[in-house]
Amino acid sequence: MSAAPLPITDVYSDYVNPQWVRLLDLLGMNATYTRCIGTELYTKDGRVILDFLSGYCVHNVGHNHPAVVAALKDELDRSGPAMLQSHVPELAGELAARLCSLAGGQLSKVFFCSSGSEGVEAVIKFVRAHTKRVGLIYATGAFHGLTCGALSLTGVNFWRDGFSPLLPGCEEVPFGDLDRLEEKLKTRKIAAVILEPIQAEAGIRVPHAKYLQEVQALCRRYGTLFVLDEVQTGMCRTGRFLAAHHYGVTPDVVILAKALSGGLVPVGAVLMTDEVYSSIYSSLKRSIVHTSTYSENGLAMRAGLATLATLESERLGPRAAFLGEELRGRLRRALSGYEMIKEVRGAGLLCGIEFQAPSKLTLRLSFEAFRRIHAGMFGQMVVMRMYREHGILTQICGNNFMVLKAAPPLVVTSEQIDQFVDAFRSVVELMHSSGAFWSEALALVGRAVNV
Ligand SMILES: Cc1ncc(COP(=O)(O)O)c(C=O)c1O
């Protein structure tokens, strides 16, 4: 007689990542989801959770968008060529052409891959091969992924600790600081400057209006390639197809991933100029000098085409721009007067709410106590309450624990935005007025220490 199957989380704990399960348990966020549609996540125990995280900007067209699902079913049903590695995948051509036309500028060739990090890895090779230089510049607080090369450009020790030595030649400059950047570029040893146009995990840091244009001008002056990592900001998340379009820049290379396949198939894309492409794939002999087995797979390509069509037909870019402004406006009005709210900022539906330490003594003592235990503890309390008491999924930024990220699918409705704002205001009210917020945080710390 076979043994009864273990509950899902037990199997996951036994064979994948028990620490992750413990963390979700601790935060009271370990739900079993049975169905996810648009902005709503349905749990086995009958709750409906509103998604204001979008899997870190994956679900721009909403969860399981019917058009993307239909395209995938269609692709499977046609039993077409997959992974032959010996033919010309037409769909990859079609998707690349659409991407280049939407991205504009000089971007005219695409390398496909299966994740954002893999895109960054490809870029590191491409920019070095093109410029015959080694140096790479990234910004403080940047997040470019966790594979070795991408991690070398991710400026936060939490992600790096234990994995040294990383890639040589990677240098950090403060985001927004043009003088420090120019000092480094003057050496003419820098192959590329790699930036997120709006830093997501660093705390939804929006640069001043001319920063990216000036970075681009400096890059051109010193023969350095200008690379934008639009893994989170691309695909209409900020209201335009690329965040680069807000700033009037024409980067040499752009990295996309996450939302490109509608959240259903792993995908990544490196868009580049003909010049960059030609220096990598420079001859017949080098026609496959950088490839990846699943890179142009039919499912990812079909999902990508369906996602682009949906972004366009549902006008999700303009919708993100409009609703993003609404969200920030409503938040600012609801949160004015609360001393722990420092700023509400963002672009489109990539929105950050920054907290600050309170000045009132009683609040300050509690706040500092938690900060000493773990810098992320305070933010996690907010995330936990938003989830548990209001059924809303959010997160704090990975490289800035004092900023809560609000990034719903772009199909979010105005009513759902109201629901988020009301819920958030009531959590903020609680942290300013009730000892319960802080005593519960203390209990959480106790449980964290004991697990
Ligand atoms: C800006 C940015 N670049 C790169 C990555 C890495 O992408 P992936 O997790 O698909 O490897 C991420 C992931 O969050 C990201 O936010």
Side-chain angles (χ1 to χ4, degrees), residues 56 114-118 120 143-147 150 196 200-201 229-233 255 257-258 267:
Y56 297 88
S114 302
S115 71
S117 303
E118 198 191 344
V120 174
F143 188 93
H144 295 291
L146 299 178
T147 52
E196 299 159 81
E201 295 311 316
D229 176 344
E230 296 244 19
V231 167
Q232 286 209 44
T233 52
I255 307 154
K258 291 195 188 276
V267 73

Side-chain angles (χ1 to χ4, degrees), residues 256-334:
L256 292 172
K258 291 195 188 276
L260 175 54
S261 63
L264 290 168
V265 189
V267 73
V270 175
L271 282 60
M272 66 198 117
T273 61
D274 263 333
E275 290 74 33
V276 173
Y277 161 84
S278 306
S279 46
I280 320 303
Y281 301 94
S282 52
S283 62
L284 270 185
K285 203 169 96 191
R286 288 175 66 83
S287 63
I288 52 167
V289 73
H290 185 80
T291 57
S292 171
T293 302
Y294 274 85
S295 85
E296 294 169 3
N297 77 86
L299 289 176
M301 300 300 103
R302 278 298 287 267
L305 284 162
T307 301
L308 292 181
T310 303
L311 287 172
E312 199 167 21
S313 64
E314 297 187 10
R315 296 184 46 75
L316 294 182
R319 185 186 175 89
F322 173 75
L323 287 177
E325 281 308 306
E326 285 287 299
L327 171 59
R328 281 181 290 283
R330 291 181 209 177
L331 278 170
R332 285 181 191 123
R333 285 191 291 281

Side-chain angles (χ1 to χ4, degrees), residues 73-334:
K73 284 183 176 161
D74 210 45
E75 184 58 23
L76 287 170
D77 284 344
R78 84 179 177 116
S79 301
M83 303 296 117
L84 299 187
Q85 318 296 8
S86 311
H87 80 304
V88 175
E90 302 158 42
L91 292 171
E94 226 182 290
L95 181 58
R98 286 292 297 130
L99 286 173
C100 291
S101 129
L102 288 164
Q106 306 295 312
L107 300 167
S108 50
K109 287 282 186 298
V110 180
F111 167 74
F112 287 108
C113 51
S114 302
S115 71
S117 303
E118 198 191 344
V120 174
E121 297 296 329
V123 166
I124 293 172
K125 287 176 69 181
F126 292 0
V127 297
R128 286 181 163 177
H130 179 76
T131 59
K132 306 199 171 33
R133 298 175 178 181
V134 171
L136 300 164
I137 289 187
Y138 62 92
T140 313
F143 188 93
H144 295 291
L146 299 178
T147 52
C148 261
L151 184 58
S152 310
L153 304 173
T154 289
V156 175
N157 285 340
F158 168 77
W159 303 109
R160 294 171 168 237
D161 282 350
F163 301 115
S164 298
L166 296 175
L167 212 58
C170 300
E171 299 181 43
E172 183 172 309
V173 295
F175 190 65
D177 186 334
L178 291 159
D179 293 339
R180 292 283 293 284
L181 178 66
E182 184 163 15
E183 260 169 49
K184 295 200 183 280
L185 294 185
K186 270 185 181 163
T187 62
R188 295 191 184 264
K189 290 184 176 159
I190 304 299
V193 173
I194 301 171
L195 297 175
E196 299 159 81
I198 294 171
Q199 287 193 308
E201 295 311 316
I204 319 295
R205 296 180 68 198
V206 183
H208 68 75
K210 293 273 175 247
Y211 174 60
L212 293 175
Q213 281 181 14
E214 286 166 16
V215 172
Q216 176 172 289
L218 287 175
C219 285
R220 305 260 148 97
R221 185 174 316 152
Y222 295 107
T224 295
L225 291 171
F226 176 45
V227 179
L228 287 183
D229 176 344
E230 296 244 19
V231 167
Q232 286 209 44
T233 52
M235 305 295 296
C236 300
R237 168 57 56 187
T238 68
R240 306 287 297 269
F241 181 66
L242 298 179
H245 295 156
H246 293 289
Y247 298 103
V249 287
T250 52
D252 302 293
V253 180
V254 165
I255 307 154
L256 292 172
K258 291 195 188 276
L260 175 54
S261 63
L264 290 168
V265 189
V267 73
V270 175
L271 282 60
M272 66 198 117
T273 61
D274 263 333
E275 290 74 33
V276 173
Y277 161 84
S278 306
S279 46
I280 320 303
Y281 301 94
S282 52
S283 62
L284 270 185
K285 203 169 96 191
R286 288 175 66 83
S287 63
I288 52 167
V289 73
H290 185 80
T291 57
S292 171
T293 302
Y294 274 85
S295 85
E296 294 169 3
N297 77 86
L299 289 176
M301 300 300 103
R302 278 298 287 267
L305 284 162
T307 301
L308 292 181
T310 303
L311 287 172
E312 199 167 21
S313 64
E314 297 187 10
R315 296 184 46 75
L316 294 182
R319 185 186 175 89
F322 173 75
L323 287 177
E325 281 308 306
E326 285 287 299
L327 171 59
R328 281 181 290 283
R330 291 181 209 177
L331 278 170
R332 285 181 191 123
R333 285 191 291 281

